[in-house]
Amino acid sequence: MLRGLYTAAAGMITQQRRHDTATQNIANLNTTGYKQVDSVSHAFPDVLIAAMQNGTTKNIGRLNTGVFAEQSVSQFLQGDLIESGKTVDFALSTDLQIVDPATNMPMIFDGSGKHISAEGEVTYKPQAFFTVQDNEGNKLFTRNGKFSVSPTGEVLSVGGFKVLDGNGQPLMLNGPEDRLKVDGQGYLIDNNTGQRSNSKIGISVVTKPMDLVRDGNGVFHVEDPEAAQIRFTDANDNMQVRQGYLENSNVDATQVTVDMNAAFRAYEANQKVIQYYDSSLQKAVNEVGRV
């Protein structure tokens, strides 16, 4: 009986975390560059059930002992681009590819940005990010291109982080921000000559985006950049910088609302189970025990 009580309690905790994840997504529905988070649940290890009779053991089957919310997975799909008209607002439009070594052709990714090989190996679609730097010199990655310019000419992100250039150094402007012009690859255009300069916005390609760790404020970091295979973009990448645009959140409001309601109903169901066990234990102690 107590095993069922613990199983229902584990279900309540899991559904609470699932509900919290859905409400977080809804709260950031209009947050620039926000990436939807999905809660992944897994079952506890199964328990082998056996019966003993006349000195012999007979296997009956396996029993699942509960569920737990193992992790939260970010969805890095492209969000809608919204025109702002501001020269210091930027958005990335990307469709990065990986060559499948088995076929020597570009991998085909599903709607969630995932490719599963014939052997069951999962590969996620590479993603591009603006590269920024915090006060400790750590590299961070964001899709929020709502930038500003400090009085000294430094380009800053929303959180006050320094935006890096293509060489990994803080991006500096030599003139007023209203004259800032960037081409589709992120290179700054010289206002006097109209030619592309050598300075560009630092845009990093994260080949394994699932290695990114969410820090809040719309930025991510990587524990092992080499394992995540991070590099700056080049001319071969199918990527375009859109000046005067911002990338909206990629949250699917309809699906997230359905998930939130489903988590709430499942939470209620597990709560009813706990109430049933509580009533049964009360009878066992107060009535059966009295006899």
Side-chain angles (χ1 to χ4, degrees):
M1 180 178 293
L2 291 179
R3 179 178 293 146
L5 186 66
Y6 296 146
T7 301
M12 288 182 66
I13 295 173
T14 298
Q15 297 306 324
Q16 180 181 356
R17 292 180 178 175
R18 182 183 172 194
H19 186 275
D20 292 344
T21 300
T23 54
Q24 175 186 335
N25 287 328
I26 291 177
N28 290 279
L29 190 62
N30 295 316
T31 301
T32 302
Y34 178 81
K35 297 304 178 183
Q36 179 174 318
V37 181
D38 293 334
S39 179
V40 179
S41 301
H42 288 274
F44 284 125
D46 293 340
V47 176
L48 181 64
I49 304 176
M52 295 185 63
Q53 185 177 10
N54 299 327
T56 61
T57 302
K58 178 182 179 181
N59 292 333
I60 299 176
R62 307 186 72 87
L63 174 67
N64 189 285
T65 56
V67 65
F68 68 103
E70 183 180 37
Q71 59 181 333
S72 295
V73 178
S74 298
Q75 298 293 334
F76 294 104
L77 300 179
Q78 178 82 48
D80 296 331
L81 302 189
I82 308 298
E83 186 174 6
S84 67
K86 297 181 179 180
T87 58
V88 288
D89 287 348
F90 299 93
L92 297 177
S93 178
T94 63
D95 186 18
L96 303 176
Q97 299 293 330
I98 297 180
V99 175
D100 190 344
T103 62
N104 203 29
M105 296 290 291
M107 289 184 179
I108 299 176
F109 298 94
D110 60 18
S112 63
K114 183 170 54 178
H115 170 82
I116 303 178
S117 67
E119 294 76 23
E121 183 179 355
V122 178
T123 303
Y124 291 94
K125 190 173 186 176
Q127 300 294 331
F129 296 85
F130 296 111
T131 313
V132 298
Q133 186 182 70
D134 62 13
N135 294 330
E136 285 73 37
N138 301 313
K139 282 187 178 181
L140 305 173
F141 308 94
T142 181
R143 292 284 289 207
N144 188 346
K146 190 175 181 64
F147 299 151
S148 61
V149 180
S150 71
T152 59
E154 284 186 319
V155 182
L156 305 176
S157 68
V158 172
F161 303 117
K162 298 178 181 179
V163 178
L164 300 184
D165 61 17
N167 296 318
Q169 301 298 318
L171 182 64
M172 302 290 294
L173 297 183
N174 296 324
E177 64 180 59
D178 58 353
R179 298 185 61 194
L180 174 63
K181 188 175 181 181
V182 173
D183 68 5
Q185 295 299 313
Y187 284 93
L188 274 62
I189 303 299
D190 190 291
N191 291 313
N192 297 321
T193 64
Q195 300 296 318
R196 173 194 285 186
S197 68
N198 294 325
S199 182
K200 65 175 295 189
I201 299 175
I203 303 169
S204 295
V205 172
V206 182
T207 307
K208 297 182 178 180
M210 290 306 166
D211 288 356
L212 291 168
V213 181
R214 189 182 296 264
D215 282 350
N217 294 323
V219 298
F220 301 84
H221 78 273
V222 174
E223 298 290 347
D224 188 349
E226 184 175 348
Q229 300 179 22
I230 299 176
R231 61 175 176 82
F232 283 115
T233 56
D234 55 41
N236 297 322
D237 292 316
N238 188 7
M239 182 276 306
Q240 185 179 15
V241 179
R242 301 290 299 274
Q243 187 173 12
Y245 287 80
L246 291 173
E247 181 182 359
N248 203 7
S249 165
N250 69 349
V251 174
D252 185 339
T254 302
Q255 184 60 51
V256 169
T257 302
V258 171
D259 291 343
M260 183 176 65
N261 290 331
F264 179 73
R265 297 303 180 190
Y267 184 92
E268 283 186 326
N270 282 285
Q271 189 179 41
K272 294 292 184 183
V273 172
I274 290 180
Q275 290 175 348
Y276 167 77
Y277 276 117
D278 181 64
S279 177
S280 299
L281 288 171
Q282 184 179 14
K283 288 186 177 181
V285 172
N286 296 332
E287 297 179 15
V288 179
R290 187 181 304 168
V291 176

